[in-house]
Amino acid sequence: MKTSSMNTHMGSISIDNEVIAQYAGSVATECFGIVGMAGINMKDGVFSLLKKESMTRGINVSLTENNKLVIDFHVIVSYGVNIPAVADNLIDSVRYKVEEFTGLEIERINIYVEGVKVID
């Protein structure tokens, strides 16, 4: 079990990285232009849109040696959006909300656009 932890004056707090990934994923899917998280089929090398229950497979959370978070997103974006603008919005939203939620600082957010989907 991978966890992120911090020490406070009252003791130690440990947060499972899966919890952080789940929260970050829910924040990301609220951002304009993000259709959802992408999962890869290792056999075929094909990316697919993940359902909400398994969206954490498209997000990787790790902790650096200096106790800061690094979050990797594998996303599918809407057709026709400005990808840099969507990425900036995603980074700003996730950084603010995850830092407030966990109390941990985010060192880096990496976004990998794995596909584009036409939305009706």
Side-chain angles (χ1 to χ4, degrees), residues 46-82:
V46 176
F47 289 93
S48 62
L49 182 63
L50 295 172
K51 296 179 181 174
K52 284 197 183 260
E53 303 85 47
S54 59
M55 85 167 69
T56 58
R57 286 191 2 226
I59 303 168
N60 182 35
V61 177
S62 57
L63 197 64
T64 63
E65 292 176 7
N66 54 355
N67 211 30
K68 293 182 181 180
L69 294 172
V70 174
I71 305 175
D72 297 330
F73 287 94
H74 296 269
V75 298
I76 296 176
V77 298
S78 297
Y79 176 78
V81 297
N82 182 330

Side-chain angles (χ1 to χ4, degrees), residues 2-115:
K2 296 179 181 179
T3 62
S4 302
S5 61
M6 67 184 99
N7 294 317
T8 67
H9 67 284
M10 296 178 69
S12 178
I13 300 172
S14 296
I15 305 170
D16 191 304
N17 287 351
E18 187 78 10
V19 172
I20 297 171
Q22 195 169 27
Y23 184 73
S26 68
V27 171
T29 55
E30 292 173 1
C31 292
F32 174 78
I34 301 293
V35 175
M37 299 301 122
I40 186 169
N41 179 339
M42 292 304 228
K43 184 178 116 186
D44 301 328
V46 176
F47 289 93
S48 62
L49 182 63
L50 295 172
K51 296 179 181 174
K52 284 197 183 260
E53 303 85 47
S54 59
M55 85 167 69
T56 58
R57 286 191 2 226
I59 303 168
N60 182 35
V61 177
S62 57
L63 197 64
T64 63
E65 292 176 7
N66 54 355
N67 211 30
K68 293 182 181 180
L69 294 172
V70 174
I71 305 175
D72 297 330
F73 287 94
H74 296 269
V75 298
I76 296 176
V77 298
S78 297
Y79 176 78
V81 297
N82 182 330
I83 293 175
V86 170
D88 287 342
N89 182 34
L90 175 63
I91 289 168
D92 291 342
S93 296
V94 169
R95 181 178 305 278
Y96 175 75
K97 290 184 178 179
V98 170
E99 284 181 350
E100 287 294 311
F101 178 67
T102 63
L104 295 167
E105 188 177 341
I106 295 178
E107 181 175 300
R108 189 172 64 250
I109 297 174
N110 301 311
I111 300 173
Y112 303 94
V113 178
E114 306 293 359

